[in-house]
Structure formats: C-alpha cells, structure tokens
Amino acid sequence: NAGVTQTPKFRILKIGQSMTLQCTQDMNHNYMYWYRQDPGMGLKLIYYSVGAGITDKGEVPNGYNVSRSTTEDFPLRLELAAPSQTSVYFCASSYPGTGNTEAFFGQGTRLTVV
Amino acid sequence: AQTVTQSQPEMSVQEAETVTLSCTYDTSESDYYLFWYKQPPSRQMILVIRQEAYKQQNATENRFSVNFQKAAKSFSLKISDSQLGDAAMYFCAYRDRKGGGSNYKLTFGKGTLLTVNP
C-alpha cells in the first residue's frame, strides 16, 4: 500500500535552475496539497487541488506552479530556483468528505538551492 | 483566517514520565477538526490523534490524550509513560469541517520539539 509517494527525496539546485517535484497517490483522493516546511515555521500551503484539472493558490505560491492532469499525480514546478526556496516540501492528499478527515503525507523532499 | 499557535518551541521529558504540549487556535467557525501530528527525524508526518469540535469528549489513543477546551480555543496533547520513540517534532493542526475549496487544507502551528531523556 504505497499511499503518497514523492520523488526525489533530496535535491541540490543551482540558482536559476528549474525542476519538478513529483507526487503521486494511489488512494483515489480528490484533494491534494503541496506544503513547504521551513525551520521553526511549521508547514505552509503552496498550492492545492480539489480534483483533476482544478488547482488553486495557497498561502505561499510565488515561484511555483502546479498541474493536475490526473487524480493520481500532482507535480510541483520550480521555474527559476532561488535560495529562498530552500526548504522541505511535502505533498499530501485527503478524501473530500466530512467523515474521513485524515490527510496522508509523502516522505518529503529536501531541496537546497545554492 | 485560522491561526494555530504552539508556544513551546522545545520540551523535554524523562522516560516513563508524562508531558503536555500546548496548542491554541483562533477561528470564527464552530465546526472543525483538530489534529496532532508527529514528525520524527525520518520527516514522515504521522497522525497521532484527532478531535472533532462538536464532540465534547476528549480523544484518546493509547498513551496519547488531548484536553480540548472549545471555549478557550485550547487543544493540548498529553503523552503518558513517555518512551524514547516519542522523541520528535509535534505539530498541532486545524481543519474546517465544512467542505469546498481550501477548507480542507490543514493550518499548522510552528511545532514543538520533544526530547525524551533516558
């Protein structure tokens, strides 16, 4: 039972480079999220999606883009990496109901921009 | 917008003792969920316990229990008989109950780093 899978687990980027963080889930969850975690700051929402073809900005979307072409996949794109994007990134998914409330998280991607 | 505050950046406890982690939140909603997540050094976010705001009874999961004070908007986590494996970062989180849009997102506190001393 894979749950939420993120790749890569670690990455070092140079300033100005681009990359895509991959996220896939096998639980048929409609809702998916990208968070970033900075030391001492908790997790902040970057983007979220309520279903295939539908995405929206969270609290800290600048410098990122997302797409949701399938229910399973929700990649996060960094176009021009900046040192401020050094962080740990988490993808999560959940079922869009009021009964089942748990969000499932991937294992995170530690990104360093130098 | 909802906010979650964890006022204790770090806490420590002796093995087998009890420790309480504090969390307060602010919301204008009456129906919501509250969670405690554990993040060990592996980075994995693990759900420890959840509380539904419309339930007066405090949630309990084995050695973990909460003290939910809705009027005070307080949601503390008590860990009894602390074990070395409990050492981790603990996050308090809030989620609206009503559906739609970003309502299902989690709002997190900044975390409390728990050290368990042998």
Side-chain angles (χ1 to χ4, degrees), chain A residues 22-37:
Chain A
Q22 301 292 344
C23 176
T24 187
Q25 52 94 6
D26 62 358
M27 296 171 282
N28 202 33
H29 286 165
N30 287 54
Y31 278 66
M32 296 188 74
Y33 318 83
W34 275 105
Y35 291 89
R36 61 176 286 172
Q37 181 182 14

Side-chain angles (χ1 to χ4, degrees), chain A residues 35-88:
Chain A
Y35 291 89
R36 61 176 286 172
Q37 181 182 14
D38 299 310
M41 296 302 294
L43 280 74
K44 294 195 178 297
L45 184 67
I46 305 171
Y47 270 95
Y48 68 96
S49 169
V50 302
I54 307 169
T55 63
D56 207 347
K57 297 177 181 178
E59 303 170 73
V60 289
N62 291 343
Y64 307 95
N65 278 300
V66 293
S67 60
R68 184 95 182 270
S69 57
T70 66
T71 299
E72 293 78 20
D73 300 308
F74 189 42
L76 178 72
R77 178 85 178 158
L78 284 71
E79 289 295 348
L80 292 170
S84 61
Q85 294 177 305
T86 293
S87 188
V88 179

Side-chain angles (χ1 to χ4, degrees), chain B residues 84-95:
Chain B
L84 295 177
D86 294 334
M89 182 71 83
Y90 286 82
F91 291 100
C92 179
Y94 167 101
R95 203 208 87 174

